Amino acid sequence: GRGQGHIDGDPHYLSAAEINKINKERMAKGEPALNMRFGDYKNDEPYLQLIQKLGRRDFRDMRQHVNEMFDILKAGGPNAEALSRAARERIVADTARFDAGEFDEEAKEMGLWLAKYLWYNGHGWNKFTPMYKVMIMSAFPPLPRIDQGAELAEAMPAFLGWLDDEMSLVKDDPWQSYSMLDKYHTLKLH
């Protein structure tokens, strides 16, 4: 349908499995990994329910990908050492690029997307900023960082645990979930 055309025509909607496959090929050639962008919220607004479904698929794909990497680590040996080294090098390089401001445009785009999503979905984030900061921090807790000395074997289970927690919170249809709550509160107010 209309939504799928938008998704298929935009490389930022490739599945996590497709992105991982492309990035493995790029890294094998010594090329940098692809970075995805948030884009403009107004382009996504008509497709939020489809994006919700695609995100559920990506949670599963990412979990499988990380599990495969974790199996390599658990097996030990040269493959595990090469994986740990490559992951550390990539994250250290990306962190250096982030610190140097190379991702500022993408970061601003992401912030604006988030602000618009919240605003146009009934969340007045500019009135209660500490509350919204806590919600964001709760959704994205600190994880062990291999660019700060954590081992990949420590970081991966933490990431998997976080993925599992997030997957358990993702609703099939969040728009329907809160409509009954709104009806209840509206009835109570009258």
Side-chain angles (χ1 to χ4, degrees):
R2 179 176 160 228
Q4 193 62 43
H6 167 74
I7 300 301
D8 290 343
D10 188 337
H12 299 112
Y13 286 102
L14 292 173
S15 71
E18 292 167 314
I19 290 291
N20 284 328
K21 181 181 177 204
I22 291 168
N23 282 336
K24 282 180 188 176
E25 292 168 1
R26 291 176 64 88
M27 289 167 61
K29 296 178 196 173
E31 298 173 351
L34 292 178
N35 290 320
M36 298 177 69
R37 298 191 57 157
F38 265 70
D40 187 330
Y41 174 78
K42 286 295 184 186
N43 292 336
D44 288 342
E45 191 172 29
Y47 310 105
L48 294 178
Q49 290 179 325
L50 177 59
I51 291 169
Q52 179 84 10
K53 290 177 184 173
L54 296 175
R56 292 176 66 83
R57 173 207 59 201
D58 285 349
F59 270 121
R60 287 188 300 271
D61 288 351
M62 183 56 67
R63 190 171 205 308
Q64 180 180 344
H65 171 70
V66 174
N67 269 327
E68 290 168 4
M69 291 174 60
F70 195 48
D71 287 344
I72 293 169
L73 288 177
K74 288 189 295 187
N79 288 342
E81 291 169 18
L83 176 61
S84 290
R85 186 174 45 257
R88 184 176 309 282
E89 288 171 1
R90 181 182 58 81
I91 291 176
V92 166
D94 280 351
T95 299
R97 292 175 61 208
F98 181 80
D99 290 343
E102 289 186 39
F103 300 141
D104 284 0
E105 184 180 332
E106 292 94 334
K108 288 175 186 173
E109 185 177 271
M110 179 187 125
L112 190 55
W113 192 100
L114 179 59
K116 286 181 178 182
Y117 172 81
L118 291 170
W119 192 267
Y120 294 127
N121 285 282
H123 298 279
W125 54 265
N126 64 340
K127 303 291 187 277
F128 309 105
T129 56
M131 183 177 74
Y132 282 94
K133 287 178 183 179
V134 167
M135 284 189 273
I136 291 168
M137 289 186 288
S138 294
F140 299 98
L143 296 173
R145 290 181 49 185
I146 62 175
D147 61 321
Q148 293 182 343
E151 294 298 323
L152 189 57
E154 173 192 1
M156 293 186 93
F159 182 72
L160 285 172
W162 172 77
L163 273 179
D164 287 343
D165 288 347
E166 290 303 309
M167 285 177 68
S168 72
L169 296 174
V170 173
K171 295 177 174 32
D172 287 329
D173 186 359
W175 292 268
Q176 185 63 33
S177 300
Y178 295 107
S179 65
M180 292 305 293
L181 181 67
D182 294 342
K183 289 176 188 172
Y184 172 77
H185 284 291
T186 302
L187 291 172
K188 292 295 245 181
L189 292 173
H190 293 289

